[in-house]
Amino acid sequence: MHDDLIARAQAWLAEDPDPETRDELAKLIEAADVEELAARFSGTLQFGTAGLRGELGAGPMRMNRTVVIRAAAGLAAYLKKNGHEGGLVVIGYDARHKSEDFARDTAAVMTGAGLRAAVLPRPLPTPVLAYAIRHLGAVAGVEVTASHNPPRDNGYKVYLGDGSQIVPPADIDIAEEIAAVPSLTVVPRPTEGWETLDDSILDAYLSRTDAVLSADSPRTARTVYTAMHGVGKDVLLAAFERAGFPAPDLVTEQADPDPDFPTVAFPNPEEPGAMDLAFAKARETAPDLVIANDPDADRCAAAVKDGEDWRMLRGDEVGALLAAHLVSRGAQGTFAESIVSSSLLGRIAEKAGLRYEQTLTGFKWIARVDGLRYGYEEALGYCVDPEGVRDKDGITAALLITELASVLKAEGRTLLDLLDDLAVEHGLHATDQLSVRVQDLSVIADAMRRLREQPPTELAGLPITRAEDLTRGTETLPPTDGLRYTLEGARVIVRPSGTEPKLKCYLEVVVPVATHADLPAARAKATDLLTTIKRDLSTAAGI
């Protein structure tokens, strides 16, 4: 076993085009570090519906130039097999370590395979890439990003020509083509021949961002903005300036791209502590709203003053606010969300006489809903301009929530007042998450098995009226690894994360509310129920 491992590592080393990872791997081979080599050569990073995502480093279980070149070669082969010989592939990238290298390698592979390649001019938000695919009539797009993962990670996200992320069976077909690449020596990689796009692509994207707002809406809300060390700042500031909003006050410590993300443990607005600097800035400047993007700016977070201090709105709260705002503006079409998001969207759509659909988790599914007008996911993802960007877009979402804050400000009201109104109209929909990050993935598999073998019959004293194993699929959903429990006045979904080593449990309770005066009691009841459901679910899953 030991000799075989060293032999595989040496074969990999002989092909590796990157001096950094070659050096890293050579040292591991020299030291005969069997444990570390085994971790890196225990398989290959699996190409799935999120593309690739993993820790940077040498070997097939890490993100590196060898893995990316193979992935690009597999994608190129898939595109050619599907009749796209000579088609255009657009490539975007964020400001993480190695992102630009991975983008350039992809452009070289596409060019060498007889496809045309165009690379965005610099690190830019993921939604600009999603927009560029359709705007330029591309047959596919690649975004090099690990979104809000830790600094040591990077990733590779693939879109097809409709501008939305791949779904099965395309992911399986591409993975088969990647596996069929015998060695890097057979992959032509010219040093030129692709196009580097200029700023006209960004100008085209920005000219669409104006269109998400009402022509005559007030633009008075003042904001504090953090780019979370990512690539959102310049594009968001340009969009706000074009729209005529006051220039956001920047969280300067987090304004510019930094692949080490020095001020946050995880560069995700949802993680504890990530918004601390933004809140400190808000206490100084007293804005109407705090806005954050994640590092590739496809997600948008909003925070409001609640009593004496600031609090992040949940993704479900922003999702409902944007829906209510679009309804008030007369939006037509289908409203859609993932199954793990709040059922409040369905109530809002139903009352407005609009079509409503639920999909599996991920914008790759939401973006494919027929007649989509608005889609959102509780993990801070909002699609407010599906004709322009068939994906979540943290820039246009930021514009729309700031417009809503401006409309309410003109009425002497706030986002929290509107949330209160929605609770009285549709019932208080309170959501929470039990999220467990693990070192050992078998913990997640064990928890799922335990819940399948010994399913709970009640949670927080509420009987489970329906238990569904989503691996079997439903009338409206394709199969996925998840469990859904319907309770009296509550809902729970348990699933392994698709992008991180986490088990995620999504909880929602609905408490009827007669009048605004009943809201405090309803909130207390909802909080108590969510806490107890969490505790009982933890026990049932053994986590």
Side-chain angles (χ1 to χ4, degrees):
M1 169 66 194
H2 172 253
D3 291 346
D4 173 51
L5 189 58
I6 297 288
R8 275 188 291 150
Q10 283 169 333
W12 185 276
L13 181 66
E15 277 191 7
D16 191 338
D18 187 334
E20 279 184 46
T21 44
R22 282 176 61 83
D23 184 49
E24 183 187 318
L25 188 53
K27 284 178 178 155
L28 291 174
I29 293 169
E30 194 181 334
D33 188 338
V34 175
E35 192 178 337
E36 186 60 29
L37 286 169
R40 288 156 184 258
F41 286 85
S42 58
T44 54
L45 272 189
Q46 288 306 300
F47 185 90
T49 45
L52 294 165
R53 204 177 278 191
E55 193 174 334
L56 290 161
M61 288 297 288
R62 299 283 184 268
M63 280 297 294
N64 50 63
R65 289 183 59 198
T66 305
V67 163
V68 164
I69 290 165
R70 285 174 168 274
L75 174 60
Y78 167 84
L79 291 171
K80 287 160 75 173
K81 268 193 183 167
N82 282 273
H84 298 305
E85 182 82 49
L88 175 68
V89 179
V90 194
I91 302 148
Y93 59 101
D94 67 11
R96 283 177 179 266
H97 293 297
K98 299 279 182 192
S99 287
E100 191 171 357
D101 295 345
F102 295 166
R104 191 176 55 245
D105 282 331
T106 302
V109 171
M110 295 302 159
T111 306
L115 292 147
R116 290 179 297 128
V119 184
L120 293 184
R122 58 185 168 280
L124 286 167
T126 294
V128 178
L129 181 272
Y131 168 79
I133 295 165
R134 298 180 73 200
H135 181 69
L136 298 172
V139 298
V142 170
E143 176 70 23
V144 181
T145 182
S147 192
H148 56 275
N149 276 38
R152 63 179 181 272
D153 289 3
N154 213 328
Y156 198 81
K157 196 187 261 193
V158 176
Y159 297 75
L160 292 180
D162 61 357
S164 48
Q165 296 171 51
I166 53 167
V167 294
D171 56 337
I172 296 148
D173 295 345
I174 295 167
E176 282 174 2
E177 296 293 346
I178 295 169
V181 177
S183 95
L184 292 203
T185 54
V186 302
V187 181
R189 298 202 321 276
T191 55
E192 57 187 16
W194 57 89
E195 180 187 0
T196 300
L197 296 166
D198 61 19
D199 275 1
S200 61
I201 189 67
L202 187 57
D203 294 340
Y205 167 81
L206 284 167
S207 67
R208 268 209 79 97
T209 63
D210 302 351
V212 304
L213 304 173
S214 289
D216 55 354
S217 63
R219 311 277 166 96
T220 55
R222 290 176 47 252
T223 54
V224 158
Y225 171 71
T226 174
M228 207 66 63
H229 299 296
V231 298
K233 179 192 75 173
D234 292 346
V235 178
L236 182 126
L237 290 181
F240 269 58
E241 187 179 357
R242 290 177 68 108
F245 286 113
D249 277 315
L250 298 179
V251 179
T252 49
E253 302 95 324
Q254 299 174 334
D256 294 316
D258 186 332
D260 294 319
F261 305 103
T263 66
V264 288
F266 289 94
N268 177 356
E270 290 183 295
E271 292 281 350
M275 295 290 285
D276 288 357
L277 288 170
F279 291 165
K281 185 78 174 177
R283 289 180 204 112
E284 276 172 43
T285 58
D288 300 297
L289 189 62
V290 174
I291 287 173
N293 284 138
D294 68 337
D296 68 326
D298 62 350
R299 287 175 169 81
C300 174
V304 292
K305 187 112 187 259
D306 189 0
E308 288 306 298
D309 211 353
W310 288 82
R311 88 165 167 93
M312 267 271 290
L313 292 173
R314 290 189 162 277
D316 283 319
E317 291 176 312
V318 175
L321 288 167
L322 292 177
H325 183 42
L326 288 169
V327 165
S328 74
R329 284 176 26 182
Q332 293 297 311
T334 304
F335 279 24
E337 64 180 343
S338 62
I339 55 170
V340 299
S341 305
S342 169
S343 58
L344 176 55
L345 184 70
R347 305 263 178 111
I348 292 170
E350 184 184 12
K351 181 144 193 194
L354 297 174
R355 283 188 59 219
Y356 163 75
E357 274 195 42
Q358 281 190 322
T359 73
L360 292 185
T361 312
F363 264 82
K364 55 185 178 278
W365 299 107
I366 295 170
R368 286 184 156 71
V369 165
D370 200 30
L372 182 67
R373 174 60 187 87
Y374 168 65
Y376 99 90
E377 187 154 73
E378 53 67 50
L380 311 182
Y382 313 94
C383 174
V384 300
D385 175 26
E387 288 308 303
V389 175
R390 288 250 171 116
D391 199 6
K392 53 188 178 290
D393 182 345
I395 306 294
T396 47
L399 286 170
L400 203 61
I401 195 75
T402 308
E403 178 184 59
L404 174 57
S406 300
V407 168
L408 292 166
K409 186 179 180 178
E411 299 168 357
R413 284 157 41 84
T414 68
L415 295 171
L416 292 179
D417 293 325
L418 180 52
L419 282 172
D420 286 351
D421 292 350
L422 291 171
V424 172
E425 191 175 356
H426 303 289
L428 176 68
H429 289 63
T431 57
D432 202 357
Q433 211 185 99
L434 170 63
S435 182
V436 184
R437 187 181 289 272
V438 299
Q439 292 294 315
D440 178 0
L441 288 174
S442 69
V443 174
I444 294 176
D446 289 347
M448 294 299 287
R449 190 179 66 248
R450 181 176 302 199
L451 288 170
R452 285 188 168 106
E453 288 172 0
Q454 298 169 301
T457 53
E458 63 168 42
L459 295 168
L462 302 173
I464 291 175
T465 54
R466 190 162 161 212
E468 297 165 280
D469 187 340
L470 299 177
T471 47
R472 302 193 179 104
T474 72
E475 283 173 25
T476 54
L477 297 170
T480 186
D481 187 8
L483 299 163
R484 179 164 60 182
Y485 303 119
T486 306
L487 302 89
E488 298 280 348
R491 182 216 66 198
V492 172
I493 292 174
V494 185
R495 61 179 277 273
S497 167
T499 54
E500 297 176 274
K502 280 182 173 181
L503 181 68
K504 291 186 156 185
C505 312
Y506 304 84
L507 326 174
E508 178 176 44
V509 299
V510 183
V511 180
V513 184
T515 68
H516 282 75
D518 300 317
L519 276 167
R523 286 212 168 88
K525 181 179 178 183
T527 303
D528 184 45
L529 274 173
L530 287 169
T531 305
T532 315
I533 290 172
K534 241 191 226 190
R535 186 196 66 208
D536 291 357
L537 189 61
S538 290
T539 305
I543 50 175

